[in-house]
Structures are given as C-alpha cells and as structure tokens.
Amino acid sequence: MVEEGVRVVRCGGSRLNFRRAVFSVDSKYIFCVSGDFVKVYSTTTEECVHILHGHTDLVSGILVNPSNHLQLYSCSFDGTIKLWDYVDGILIKTFTIGPKLHAFFIPLHAEDSVFLTISKEEPDIFQLVSVKLPKSTSQDVEARQLTFVLDYINRSPKCIAFGNEGEYVAAVRDFYLSVYFFKKKKTCNFTLPSTKNKKNAKNKFTCVACHPKEDCIASGHMDGKIRLWRNFHSDQKYTYTCLHWHHDMVMDLAFTVTGTSLLSGGRECVLVEWRDGSEKNKEFLPRLGSSIEHISVSPAGDLFCTSHSDNKITVIHRNLDASAVIQGLVKDRSISTGLMVDPRTKALVLNGKPGHLQFYSLQGDKQLYNLDIIQQEYINDEGLTQTELTKAAFGCSGTWLATVEQRQENENELELQMKLWNYSKKTQGFVLNTKIAMPHDDHITALCFNNAESYEKPILVTASRDGHFKVWILTDDSDIYKKAIAWTCDFVGSYHKYQATNCCFSEDGSLLAVSFEEIVTIWDSQTWELKCTFCQRAGKIRHLCFGRLTCSKYLLGTTDNGILCCWNLLSCSIQWSAKLNVRVMEPDPYSDHVAAVAQSSAGSDLFVFKPSEPRPLYIQKNVSREEVQWGVFVPRDVPESFTSETHQWLNRSQFYFLTKSQSLLTFSTKSPEEKLTPTSKQLLAEESLPTTPFSFILGKHRQQQGAKLTETSENELVQLPLTENIPAITELLHTPAHVLPSASFLCSLFVNSLLLSKETKSAEEVPDDVDMEGNKESDDSDEEYDLTEKDKETNNNTDLGEDAIHQLSKSEEKELRKFRKVDYSWLTAL
Amino acid sequence: MAAGGGGSYDPLAPAGVPCAFSPDSQAYFALASSDGQLRVWETANNRLHQEYVPSAHLSGTCTCLAWAPARLQAKESHQRKKRKSEVTGTKDQADLLALGTAVGSILLYSTVRGELHSKLTSGGHENRVNCIQWHQDNDCLYSCSDDKYIVEWSTQTCKVKCKWKGDNSSVSSLCISPDGKMLLSAGRTIKLWVLETKEVYRHFTGHATPVSSLRFTTIRPNESQPSDGITGLYFLSGAVHDRLLNVWQVRSENKEKSAVMSFTVTDEPVYVDLTLSENKEEPVKLAVVCRDGQVHLFEHILNGHCKKPLTSNCTIQIATPGKGKKVTPKPIPILAASFCLDKMSLLLVYGNWFQPTIERVALNSKDTHICLERDISNCWAPTVETAITKVKTPVMNSEAKVLVPGIPGHHAPIKLPPAQPKEAENKRKLGSTEATIEERLGAMDLDRKGRKDDLQTNSFAVLLTQGLESNDFEILNKVLQTKNVNLIKRTVLRIPLRVVIPLLQELTKRLQGHPNSAALMIQWLKCVLTIHASYLSTLPDLVEQLGTLYQLMESRVKTFQKLSNLHGKLILLVTQVTASEKSKKMTSPGQKAKLVYEEESSEEESDDEVPEKDSDDNWDEDEDKDSEKDEGVDEDNEEEDEDMEDKEENEEDREVSSEKELNGDSDLDPENESEEE
C-alpha cells in the first residue's frame, strides 16, 4: 500500500446560518453557505445533494442566476464571484473582482450587473457598488470595473434591499434609511424622529425588506418594532405605520412572493406572519428552538425557511408547518463538555442546543439527535442566566451517562446538579437513575468513569474546586416496593485543601489519579488509600492521563506553564519531561499512542508519541491557525493497516479536533484524488421519467423505435448497440458543454470514433447509431429548452459553434418529420 | 400470478417484506411495506428518514428492492486548488434504490433527492419482478421475473442492454459473482451464467420450491492454484418453505450438482446476511432471519463436504417484558439482521413493519441462545415531532433516586479510620449492642415495675421511651411535637440512657422531613445533646450510629460554618458548666446501673465522668484553634445575625465530631464501657 502524507481535512461543522439560505426555483433544493463551500440540500429529504467547493475564503453570499434558474452565483471574501451549475455541482465561471466581497445582490431586471458590498480603505465603512459581469467564453473572467452606488452602508446584506423590480435600493444604517432611485439617480434620506429622544435610543434599524410589487419598505428595529414606509419618493411626504409584536430586536424580515404578507423573526424563536400589513392580522409559528437569524422565501411561494443561531435551517410550509430541519453541528455557545464518543452508536457527543447533548454522526456529517438533559423550557432572552450543561461522561460501554449542569447567577449562588442516566435496553433510551443536588460545593472540574471491564460495578469520580473528589458507586437501592439500583457516595478524598482539577482511572481501573493544582495524587481504587503523590512544582496540572496497553505503567501530565511530564508508576519517579505548551492531550483508547496539540505563536501543532519514549512518532506542524480546544480519538469501524511509524497511530482510531471557531477537523491519509474517482467511473444513472403528456409524445416515438429493434430478434439473445462503450461518445455526452473544445474540432473526432470502434459492424447499423446519438442530443437540448430558453441560445452560439448547430438542426428536422407522423388522435379524445 | 401484497395469497411467494440495508455503512434501512409505501429509516437513530408512495403503488406493489452501490456524492470540480483543509464530504453515500414491482416495471428512486429518478419499463418484464441485482463495478442492473426472462439494464441510458430466457419457469433469484463476471440465477435449477456471452457455465440442482435468496459466501477460491476467479467459490441458497439453506461449490468439472453442505434453521428464511470470508482461515458468519421471528447465527469455515446439516451456533429472540404472572412475555418478531462493518455486531430490525426498531447488538457472548427483552409498546405511536426537531427526551420518572445534601448517600458514609478488619469487629459489636437493647427492653419493664411511683411526674419521658421501643408513630408524634422547651428539657433529662441513641436516630429521620417539623426536632436534638453529651461521648460506635446526623447538620449549617461552630462550642461549654453546678445542688433522678463492674482501681461514677469530659473539651479547643489558623481569613465576612437553628445545630455537630475523634482515641477500652452499661 502506498502511503500518502497525512493531511488535515475539514469534516464538517461550518456555519450554515452565516447568510440567508436560497431556494431553487422549483423549491426542490435549498442552498446555503457553509464556510468556504456552498451546500445544496434537498428540501424534502434534508440530505446534502452537492457541495460546491472552489472558494478559498468564506462564502458571503449566494443567489440564483435570474437569467438561468439552473445556475447559482456565489461571492466570497476571496474577492471572486463564481457561477455554478448546481444540478451537477460543477463550477462554470469565475469572475475576479478584487476586494473582499461582503454581500451581493442581483435585482430582477438589471442587465448583467450585480451589486456588491465592499469595504473602503478605512475599516468598517462599506459601500455599495455595481459591477458588470462581462460575457465571455473563458472560465476565468476579470471584472474590476466598479461603479459607485451608495456610501456608508451596513455590511450585513440584511440592511440592503432592492424594491419594485429594481427601481430603487433601500439601505439602513443606525438611525437612517436611505433610498436610492436608479432612474432619477436621486437619494432620499429618512431619519427616525425619535433619535433625539434618549428614551427611544433603541430605535436603530436592524434590517430592511422591500415589497415585491408596491412601493413599500419594511424595516426592523432594535426595540422590536417593524415600520412600513410608504410614499418615500419625496423627503417630506413619507409616511410609515408601525407593527409591534417582538419584544426584542427584529433579526430579519421578508415579504412573501406576492407581497401579501410579511414575515419577521427575532430572538423569541417565533416566526410571525403579518397579513396585509396590519397589526391585527398575524399568525405565529412558535418554539422554533433558537433565535431566528435569517428568513427567506422560495420563488414559488410554497416554502419559507428560517436560519437559526444554533446552526440550523428550518424549512416551513406556506401554512406555517415546519416540514424539514437541516441541522449542522450546533455551535451556539461554548463547548464545555468537550468531545466524547458514545460507545454504543460511535457518534460524537458534545454540547448541543441549550441544555441538550448533541449526538453527531461523523460518517454522515449530520446530527443524529439532541438529548434533552436539563428538560426545562428554554427561554431565550438577554440577561437571563441559563442552566448550562457543563460536564458529561459515558461509562461502561455506554450503559451509563453522567451529566453535570450548573447555573450561577452570581458569585455565591451556585446551583449544581448531577444526573446519572441508565441506558435502558428495553426501551432503547436513557432513563434517569439518580439525581444528585449539589454533589459538590463548588464547580465540578472533572468527571470520569472507571471503564475497566474487570470491575463488575461501575465507579464514577467527580473532582471539584471545593477541594474534594468524590467516589460514587452503584449500590442496591431495593425496598419493599421495588427493586432498584442507585448511585451513592462511597468516598470523599482531599489533599491539603487544594482544588481538585483532574481525575482519571488507569486502564485496568486499579489506580485513580487526581490532580490537586500542582500535585498529582495516586489512589488505590479498592481501598481508597493514598498511594503516592507526584509534585513537579511546575505549574498547575492541566491534563492528566494514564498510558494504555504496553505503556500502562506511565502517567502523563501537562501543566499550564508548558511542561509535559511522564511519570513511571513503578519507580514513582519522573521518566521524562518536555517543554511543550499542550492545549489538548488525548490517549487513544485502542492503542498506546497519545496525541497532544500544542499551541505556538504560529498556530497549533500536533505531536503523537508513546509515553514510553520521549521521542514523538509523528509531528504535524500548524494543523490549524486557531487554537485547538478539544480533541478525541474515534475508533474506526474497520481498522487500517499502515505499517510506517508515522501512520501507525491512525490504524485503530481517527483523531478529530475542534478549533476555537468550532470547525471540526480530522486527519486523513487518502489523497484527494483517491477520494474522488474520476467522473467516467461514476455511476450516473440517466433520469428518464415518462410523466407529462408532452413526454408521452416523445416516449411513443422512442418505444416504436425500441419495438422495431426487439422485433428483429424475437426471444433470442439481443445485443443492443453499446454506444456508451465508445469513450468519445461518453466523453462528449457527459462533459459539460462549457469545458468542451470547439465543436469543429470535436466533430471529426466524434465521427471517426464511431466508424473505427466497430469495424465489423455492418453498414446498416452505423447510421442507426448516429441517429440515436442525434436523437439523444436533441432530447437533451429539448430539456434545456424547456427550462431555459435564453441560456440555450447563448450556449449554442458561443460554445458549440456553427457546425454543431448545423448538426443539431439536421437532427431536429428529422425529429420534426417524425412528429408529423405521430398520431395525435388521442388528444382529441381527451 | 398474485401481486406480493395483493388480495390473493400465493403459497409459493417468499415470506417477509422486501427490505434492505444500504451498502457499506448501513446508514439506512429501506422497507417496502405491503401497502405499497417505501419507507427509509436511519439506522443510527431509528428515525423515519423518508416515505415514498409510487404513483401505481396499489396495482404495482413493490416485490423486491436493492440499493445501488454507493456513489460519490460530490463530483470533482474543474479547478481544484491545493488547500490546507479540504472537504471530506465527498464520501460514498447511498442514493439510488431499485424497486421491482408486481407489474414488471422497475423504479429507480433517489433517496437523496427524495424523488423518483427513472422508470425502467420499455422492453423489460411483463410479469412480477422477483429479484434485482446491481452490478458492483459498472452501470448494469440485472433483474429476473416470473416471465422467465433475465434482463440486463443499463442505468445510464435506462434501456435494456440484453434480455434472455433464464429458465423454463419463473426466475426467482439472482446473484452476481464477486469478480463481476458471472451471474447466478435460480429458477427450477440454479444456473451460473457467463455475463459476457450469456451462456450457462454450470448447473446446480437447486431446491424444490422457489429459491428466495442466493449469496456468494467466499471472495477468493480456497484452492491455492491460480484460478479463473470462479472455480472453488461457495454460494448459499435458501428457498420458500425450506428449512435448509444449501451451500454449493463451483467445481472445475461439471459433474457435481448437489449441495456441498447445508444449514438448518427453524423456519423459512426471510432475510439472509453474511460476512464474506477473505481467506481460508476466516470463518463465514451467517445470520438468517426466519419467518418465526428468530435469528440464527452460524459460524463455519467452508471446507468441502459435510453431510449432516449444521445447526446454528446462536439463536437470538426478542420478547416483551412480562410483568409478574399477569402479563406473559410475547415474542417480538425480528424482521431483518445485518452484520456491521466490524463483523462483531449485528443490526437487528424488529417490531412491526410500520414502525420497526433498529438496534445494534454486540455479539460477544458465547451463549447459544440469547433472548433480548425489549419494550416496544411506545413505538406504536409514531412521534412526528421528534422527526422534525430531532430532540430525544430521556425518561425522568419518579423512580429515580434523588440525593440532596444531608441524605445518606450524598456524602461518603463515615467509617472509622482503621480499615476492613477493624470494621468487621465493629459490626460484630454493633450486633452485640443490639442484643443488649433487647436485654435492656426486658430490663426496662422490670425497672418500671420496680419504681412505678417515681414516674408520676414525667409521663412524657415514659411515653417517649415506650414510643421509641415500640416504634409507635402516634405516641412519638404526640411527644415530639411539643413546643414547650422546659417540658422537652425535663423529658430528656428523665429518659433512660439506653433510649438516647434510638431517640437521636428518630430525630435524624424526622429532620430529613419537612422543614417545619425539623424546626421542632431541633429543640429536642439540642436538649439531648447538651444533657447527654457525656453519655454519648462514652459510646464506642457513636460515629457510625450518628454519622448521618452529623452529615445532615454539616450540610445545613454550611452558610456560616465557622461562626456557628464556635457558637456551638461555647454554648456546650456554658451549659455543661451550669449543669455541673446544678447537679451539685440537686441530685439527679436516680438511675441505678444494672450492673456495676468494679475494677481494682475503680473510682466513683461522677469522678469517672469528669476527666473524660475535660479531655473532650481540651481536644475541642485544640481543634478549634487549628481550624481558625487555617481558615481564619474567611471568617471576616461572616455575619453575626445567625438564627437559633444555626446555633443549635452547630453545637450538635461539633459534638459529634469531637466524639468521633474521642472514640478514635479511646479505642483501647471500649469493652469496659459496654460492660458498664
């Protein structure tokens, strides 16, 4: 096996809610930005259909090409606009603009010009410019001709809206609304009257939306009001009406396609539909889970979607029924539980929605479910102290789950609760077994189960800042009413009133190591006697772990002033130490390897080593620019068999880590080419559905042809001409038109390939073949014709050249001739 | 011929409903139920992923289904720049699902898009499609039907590539060889076809009834000599109404036509899954789901003939939990089973077809019979809400144990410092003291008879004693709910010493209850501890007996701990001083010891008590100083206005802790004291 270098790959968890999601025209797909990619999801199955990758920085805006509904524009911080074919997931064109693009807009009737938000020289001052996208056949186009439109705008795309078929653009910033009329080339500015009044200082604009048909602008405000502006053509005569339901800021507004109702959402997690622009007539969709950041409406008008702060997109029917949820890795808040692996499902487990644990499938890069641990209705409001899930641990191959939740309003009032959940095989779910109020007097810093199989009774250890660690054991709690088991405290240990910071069990469960600030104590797990202490006086202990398998006699510890120590438990002495500012240290549960991620000025570096020797087996410098916060080894389903020393650590498990911006990364040995088999090898099934009456006409013709062929060779073995086996044809048919060389060049090649490939073929069959090809091509173009007339014209003109047109028109003639022969009598019968 | 789910019943139709796991990672489970609906379930979280109803689902019921080999999700873009982090989203993802119908058409359904992808009809089958197989390498799809034909489809063009007569009767099952060059078909006999030329390569006898499943069990032939990729391979077949699964071997000579060996199961096999063995040594693992709802597991190294049918290594059954004698356990049928990638666990689908439960079961036990107890009663109500919000709510019922500070179990039980051997001794002693309580009970009655006239004034003390000894709730309530402090004091003063500990335990129990009653109990506790401090301090096993009380108090006085500790100590001192002064003045109610053991150097009883007391106090102060040194800084912010409860509780807790230590010290002569009692 050829072993490639180990590379860092992103495996999910980018923000889906950075910008408004966009629907395709037929509402079948929904597009959303996701880091450097654009993802195409199906609205019915919630599955990711395509990932469009090509941008080198965050994608900051996406829009469906108004002149071709099968194409998608995207703009990015890397200063380019890209045009995609989303059905096949292919990049068509790249327009290089230059400066960082923050947002972009395409009004309906603007010819080939798009509007962009860019920053001026000074930071935080943004302007709206328009740029003409040149028509060109080449794939890379430069378009640097920027025309200035508006100055001093907000960078968020929510604060700009084009209204009434692109006649004007409305932009809001702070307390100002400015409307620029393209025809008159005039700007009208409106200031909220209450700005001078300090009482109404929360009047700031937050978002704006324009009515699709009428001259009406809706604006959302910090204080929860929505204002509908009319008559804004002159500076004096304008009027506005106020809609007030939200008690907190309005995060986004959207008009429905017909403009009859307005949708608004905010921190209340309620989607409000205002009908006819009146305050009385409103409908609600409550309990959407977390604050609504964006609202978008499908062009067909049958679906809405809301993007939420917990990295979720909810697809909502027109009658306000949530129909699908596209959920990424929840990343609303800080991850305090760290990364864990559920031993039963092998899912990644971490903090999810507030008060929930999320189970995330790494294979499918999607969320499996959220487990509601706190079970309190989450009230999303600023200034409320929430109960937070701070620690969790799995024990005994997933049968036990311990969770710690805390709520701290101020310094002295700490509410702590520990819950122990038992996985009930009968009902296939977790059942609360023991609830412990205030298990410690201060924050719990660490939580670990004794996972050794030799112990029949599970043991849980909690370490706390109150200077104690408690040992909890499972005991019989039966009484005359029921048979039960419950957890009780068995032992409380402390060491000179130092804060307990970490705890961990050795692999066989015989020893417990607890660190008290600078000191590591080793306890016998049978008698809970203090066996020995290690004190390095090198700073507080940050991580602590025992070696595994062959290295089980070693104990590793890292300190917060950058020292990694390894103690030998047999000699009770320090084996080796190294100067390394370790941020994350994780032992592989299935091998003796330990991974440590160290923070340096340049970035984070990964070191993989065995505790038995101070020499690292593998070093990967600069795995990420940001600080790495958590890491975990996830066991592989099927172990790999790398032999080289640098790869061995990837055999049994895979290392995943989470950075500060909460993107989930991992290491892969596969080269990108290996993962992407060439398109020719792909199994691409042609879509063929006899559905519409129109296609029946075509279908009948096809069937007749098919029948003819089958007639010739009754029940005998029929070998149909295998056109798809000729490489030139498949190449021609399956390569997108825009990447093909000119048709004049292809034509001879194509015909030659047909002639040469089957030398033995009789002369009769050859034209038949060509005929079929011609038909197929015309079918294809027909399809395209149905959907986008314009596009086809331009494409044919530019890409295929005259020869192709000639050929096509020939085959079309043939087609038309056949059409005339087709019997249409059934139509009259209808 | 009857449609699979139609009204008429075909006795030779295979039992079970067409269903299949998605290839590779088994992320999905597709099931075409008899009402014509296709449902796809997520195996990882047992959630309904999608539902699809074909337009002609009533006339053309789905008869078989097959997942396409995993396809690549994202295509290569034309300009890929080298970047540090790349997407790994280009993973294999199961997408296309081929559905064969009772009317002969084949539907290709895209599970990613949730819509029908294509329909293969023209030039295809005229009757019920029995089996569909995707070719693993190219775009071919093979199907067989009741119309006796086998059809090779091209999925790229959705056209028939080839159609040939497979048998003289209906062809019921197909399987493609591991190298992709051969095809097995089962009709009246089992035939092995060469795919390139569509010629029969070998014949096998087959079964008497239609073959419902065909699977190759080995990838590489066992023989060491170079082979053509097919000779020496084994394959497995199961048939309708046949309790035997036969294994056949492809031989180089065309003579052998009978089965090499066979596996026996309890009922007709409805779903078969196996792990392919890649080398000679690795056994083939076989999971057979039978119509009776059991799964039989076989593990066998295929190596030539075996005449006797093999029985299963392990049988898995699932049943509902029975509740006592009223509800008897009922079996839950297993519908499908599939080996996970690691070959060590099994995905089981069980329950009813409309709401099956999918579970991963690890196969590490050596038992020959596994019966899993599962409660699927809640599965009957499909929760739509979960499907959309993806929130699972774990069960929180009242049966869960709740531990709050002070309740036993919240904190470690207080044990004596010495380890187990000592503890055992203590326990024995505890037993002996209990025995003495009984003795004392007997003695009590005698006592009372003896001095009935003395007890006129303190009926409360008598009541309390009676209540404690008989554990009578009403009497205890009557006594303990007094609010009169003086009455409490007098009563406590008059109770016999032997009921002090039971009283304390009763008080502890009541303290854990409602706060209102706890407030009353505090008065009692205070009195007991101040008056009987000296007695308590002599008890050797006091730490164990009153540990709970100590912890309870510890947790309740947490707020002003240091201050109330000091307060408690002072109160104890003061009351002891005044009490000793009083006792000089008035004679305490005579409590004669039942037995007086006199050592040679025996002193008077009162003398004996005083030095003990002193040592107690001394120790107390020492400890106090220590603690103050340690944490003196914290005390500044403590406020003065502590309420009565705190005070009272505190002295008690100090008391106990001091006693604990004392016991540790005076461990040498516990025997003496117990005898004295």
Side-chain angles (χ1 to χ4, degrees), chain A residues 7 29 45 47-48 366 368 370 375 425-426 432-433 435 437-438 489 497 622 677 685-686 720, chain B residues 28 45 72-73 84 86 93 112-113 117 156 160 373 375 390 392 395 401 403 409-410 631:
Chain A
R7 297 170 314 113
Y29 301 108
T45 64
E47 292 268 356
C48 181
K366 61 178 179 184
L368 295 176
N370 271 297
Q375 303 202 358
K425 281 190 175 166
K426 262 184 214 172
L432 183 68
N433 181 271
K435 187 161 84 177
M438 288 305 285
C489 180
K497 290 180 179 162
N622 212 351
T677 44
E686 192 84 4
L720 288 180
Chain B
Y28 299 106
N45 54 1
L72 287 163
Q73 196 192 7
K84 272 221 107 166
E86 281 146 17
Q93 192 188 9
V112 170
R113 290 183 168 83
H117 191 79
Q156 272 187 13
V160 176
E373 204 176 280
D375 187 6
K390 296 190 179 176
K392 272 197 185 175
V395 183
K401 194 178 179 183
L403 292 178
H410 186 271
E631 315 159 33

Side-chain angles (χ1 to χ4, degrees), chain B residues 521-576:
Chain B
M521 294 309 118
I522 292 295
Q523 293 291 339
W524 280 92
L525 202 57
K526 186 187 170 189
C527 283
V528 172
L529 291 177
T530 44
I531 292 167
H532 294 285
S534 51
Y535 163 70
L536 289 173
S537 62
T538 59
L539 288 179
D541 52 356
L542 186 76
V543 182
E544 277 165 23
Q545 293 196 1
L546 297 187
T548 333
L549 177 65
Y550 174 61
Q551 280 174 2
L552 182 73
M553 289 186 297
E554 180 99 309
S555 63
R556 297 252 170 119
V557 297
K558 215 159 255 169
T559 331
F560 304 114
Q561 202 159 7
K562 310 280 151 41
L563 194 65
S564 36
N565 278 357
L566 181 68
H567 184 88
K569 272 172 226 166
L570 286 175
I571 280 211
L572 186 62
L573 271 177
V574 170
T575 46
Q576 291 295 327

Side-chain angles (χ1 to χ4, degrees), chain B residues 435-574:
Chain B
T436 53
I437 286 174
E438 277 184 344
E439 283 172 41
R440 276 187 244 155
L441 261 174
M444 243 316 288
D445 292 341
L446 291 173
D447 269 4
R448 232 189 287 154
K449 271 177 208 162
R451 11 177 201 122
K452 209 161 195 179
D453 44 344
D454 294 21
L455 300 171
Q456 293 277 332
T457 48
N458 51 4
S459 60
F460 252 50
V462 178
L463 268 181
L464 182 62
T465 322
Q466 281 178 343
L468 283 171
E469 272 155 9
S470 62
N471 221 348
D472 190 326
F473 197 69
E474 275 180 29
I475 301 180
L476 284 177
N477 262 354
K478 199 177 164 192
V479 177
L480 291 177
Q481 278 172 0
T482 345
K483 286 174 186 164
N484 189 337
V485 183
N486 280 326
L487 186 61
I488 293 173
K489 254 185 200 166
R490 263 182 282 135
T491 316
V492 171
L493 201 63
R494 293 201 169 114
I495 54 164
L497 285 178
R498 41 196 160 279
V499 294
V500 170
I501 291 289
L503 175 62
L504 280 175
Q505 276 162 353
E506 179 65 32
L507 291 175
T508 315
K509 215 184 288 169
R510 283 166 182 250
L511 270 174
Q512 287 168 4
H514 196 269
N516 280 344
S517 69
L520 285 174
M521 294 309 118
I522 292 295
Q523 293 291 339
W524 280 92
L525 202 57
K526 186 187 170 189
C527 283
V528 172
L529 291 177
T530 44
I531 292 167
H532 294 285
S534 51
Y535 163 70
L536 289 173
S537 62
T538 59
L539 288 179
D541 52 356
L542 186 76
V543 182
E544 277 165 23
Q545 293 196 1
L546 297 187
T548 333
L549 177 65
Y550 174 61
Q551 280 174 2
L552 182 73
M553 289 186 297
E554 180 99 309
S555 63
R556 297 252 170 119
V557 297
K558 215 159 255 169
T559 331
F560 304 114
Q561 202 159 7
K562 310 280 151 41
L563 194 65
S564 36
N565 278 357
L566 181 68
H567 184 88
K569 272 172 226 166
L570 286 175
I571 280 211
L572 186 62
L573 271 177
V574 170

Side-chain angles (χ1 to χ4, degrees), chain A residues 53-85:
Chain A
H53 39 110
H55 282 295
T56 53
D57 207 339
L58 279 186
V59 180
S60 56
I62 38 173
L63 281 175
V64 174
N65 186 355
S67 53
N68 182 350
H69 296 318
L70 297 177
Q71 292 176 344
L72 184 77
Y73 278 113
S74 69
C75 82
S76 156
F77 282 175
D78 64 6
T80 58
I81 295 176
K82 286 179 195 282
L83 183 65
W84 309 86
D85 175 354

Side-chain angles (χ1 to χ4, degrees), chain A residues 21-24 27-32 39-43 296 304-305 313-315 326:
Chain A
V22 173
F23 282 99
S24 68
S27 302
K28 271 186 185 171
Y29 301 108
I30 189 165
F31 312 104
C32 60
K39 283 188 176 169
V40 184
Y41 284 96
S42 158
T43 50
S296 44
F304 308 137
C305 83
I313 296 172
T314 313
V315 180
I326 296 160

